Amino acid sequence: MEVELRQVTKRFGDTVALADVSFTVPAGQFVTLLGPSGCGKTTFLRVVAGFEKPDQGDAVLGGEVITHLPPNQRQIGMVFQNYALFPHMTVERNVSFGLRMRHAPAVETARHTAELLDLVGLRDLAGRYPHQLSGGQQQRVALARALEIQPRVLLLDEPFGALDRKLRLQMQVDVKKLIRRLGITTIFVTHDQEEALAMSDLVAVMKSGRIVQSGTPIEIYDNPRDPFVADFVGGSNFLEGDVVGSDDSQITLRLGGALLTVARAGEVRPGKRAVLVVRPENLRLAGGDGGGLTGTISFVRPVGPMMEYEVETDGGPRLKITAPRSGITAAHKLGDVVSVTLTNAESCTVFAL
């Protein structure tokens, strides 16, 4: 079921939570709203759900304007960050709540509830209460309850926020598999860019109540539209320099005492200032005489199979670099004098200043 916001604006006092937002969530897609706290992600979700009424514009579901409909008439399922389970009800009663409130036949309610408990792997825990469950189990109950009413759309408001990292990663996999199996249109809210890139068919990056870029995870990561997206999604290095040459396919930048040639950027011209955006994994460390930008390693951190470095360049910016750990090649050490070069000139993005 396709979901759409049409020119929606929502204010809370002097704060504009959504600013003339128009966006379409394609039917059957898993779409993530990604952005920092206060950017309007949850307000977007609540307008779709009917918990907030827009000051202007409309929410549309399957081509039908639903702005005037109360939440209980929209047939939309929602999982909140705190799960909002009823503490006095068993797992079975929590899951069956939606159908019971709709006065569905008892036999149908029992059958559908049992099917959902099987689907989320909780049939054996049907008689327990929320306080007797782990965080991951509670999350599964909340998901089953949202699916009980056979919603046309599923809304997930940072549902993994209360879980530890290992369980969070496992739940990402489990939930994505389940939603793909059901084929239900899903809107997911998070401020965690790794989570967004791992789970989504499409990502919409939000800033100050607006969607500043949308696309597949690979498009968002490899081709950010502006410095905000480049920095927020994945983190980047920003190197300012002078454009000293160009042709149809590439440009050359002078960064301090080094020259770097990268793929062509549309609005960048010789004689102008520009900023080169480079992902940490697209920089390589070598010995101090290896060409490129020279500097000194000021920070080293092993992170599982990766090494993270910071390099204070000579008269230039501090660079963040990631590299695979290797048992063959010794890692660089704090205080080492190194050269920093590009691994792939086509992987960079250039913005005019």
Side-chain angles (χ1 to χ4, degrees):
M1 183 71 69
E2 183 180 271
V3 182
E4 184 181 1
L5 292 193
R6 295 178 182 170
Q7 297 179 306
V8 167
T9 295
K10 177 63 181 177
R11 300 179 182 85
F12 296 99
D14 295 332
T15 301
V16 180
L18 293 175
D20 194 31
V21 171
S22 294
F23 186 71
T24 299
V25 177
Q29 296 284 290
F30 190 112
V31 176
T32 294
L33 305 177
L34 174 66
S37 297
C39 70
K41 307 183 299 295
T42 295
T43 302
F44 184 114
L45 218 61
R46 291 177 64 84
V47 167
V48 173
F51 298 130
E52 300 290 351
K53 185 175 181 180
D55 297 314
Q56 64 184 53
D58 285 306
V60 182
L61 183 59
E64 174 193 357
V65 175
I66 59 171
T67 312
H68 62 287
L69 293 179
N72 64 338
Q73 294 182 23
R74 298 190 181 197
Q75 204 174 339
I76 290 175
M78 187 165 182
V79 178
F80 300 90
Q81 185 174 1
N82 63 359
Y83 311 143
L85 300 178
F86 301 113
H88 61 288
M89 292 185 187
T90 63
V91 167
E92 185 276 330
R93 298 287 286 177
N94 263 285
V95 173
S96 64
F97 179 79
L99 287 184
R100 289 189 289 108
M101 290 300 99
R102 287 164 172 75
H103 305 290
V107 173
E108 176 190 339
T109 299
R111 177 186 57 79
H112 196 244
T113 300
E115 289 175 353
L116 279 172
L117 289 174
D118 281 338
L119 193 64
V120 298
L122 292 176
R123 173 72 80 94
D124 293 341
L125 304 180
R128 292 192 183 181
Y129 290 88
H131 73 272
Q132 297 173 313
L133 304 177
S134 69
Q137 290 166 343
Q138 290 183 35
Q139 199 263 2
R140 290 170 189 267
V141 174
L143 181 60
R145 186 178 63 182
L147 295 171
E148 173 81 346
I149 62 170
Q150 298 178 304
R152 297 185 288 179
V153 175
L154 180 63
L155 308 180
L156 304 174
D157 188 6
E158 301 202 49
F160 310 128
L163 305 179
D164 63 68
R165 178 171 174 78
K166 183 178 180 180
L167 183 56
R168 184 184 185 110
L169 293 175
Q170 184 58 51
M171 290 305 300
Q172 290 173 12
V173 173
D174 292 346
V175 169
K176 184 62 187 289
K177 285 181 178 178
L178 175 60
I179 289 172
R180 181 174 292 164
R181 176 179 168 183
L182 296 173
I184 187 171
T185 304
T186 302
I187 307 176
F188 177 69
V189 160
T190 184
H191 61 269
D192 185 324
Q193 47 92 11
E194 291 183 5
E195 193 166 79
L197 296 177
M199 296 191 68
S200 311
D201 298 314
L202 296 172
V203 176
V205 183
M206 297 190 68
K207 176 187 178 184
S208 302
R210 300 180 184 276
I211 293 175
V212 294
Q213 185 174 355
S214 62
T216 67
I218 290 177
E219 289 170 346
I220 295 290
Y221 190 84
D222 288 348
N223 300 294
R225 185 172 295 169
D226 60 26
F228 170 79
V229 177
D231 188 41
F232 190 81
V233 182
S236 294
N237 295 291
F238 295 84
L239 294 81
E240 293 187 17
D242 297 304
V243 182
V244 296
S246 68
D247 59 29
D248 291 339
S249 62
Q250 59 189 22
I251 63 171
T252 300
L253 291 166
R254 184 183 301 280
L255 304 168
L259 295 176
L260 295 178
T261 299
V262 298
R264 176 124 189 100
E267 299 301 319
V268 179
R269 299 287 183 269
K272 301 294 185 180
R273 294 281 291 174
V275 58
L276 177 67
V277 181
V278 189
R279 300 291 188 187
E281 68 270 20
N282 290 326
L283 292 174
R284 179 176 58 206
L285 291 177
D289 56 354
L293 298 171
T294 59
T296 303
I297 294 179
S298 59
F299 179 78
V300 179
R301 181 173 68 164
V303 183
M306 305 295 292
M307 294 294 297
E308 293 184 353
Y309 300 95
E310 284 188 5
V311 174
E312 298 281 355
T313 59
D314 298 339
R318 177 185 300 163
L319 300 178
K320 296 180 180 179
I321 301 157
T322 59
R325 273 199 311 120
S326 171
I328 300 174
T329 305
H332 295 278
K333 302 185 298 297
L334 193 67
D336 281 355
V337 176
V338 294
S339 295
V340 182
T341 57
L342 291 174
T343 59
N344 182 2
E346 294 184 356
S347 65
C348 302
T349 305
V350 181
F351 297 111
L353 288 178

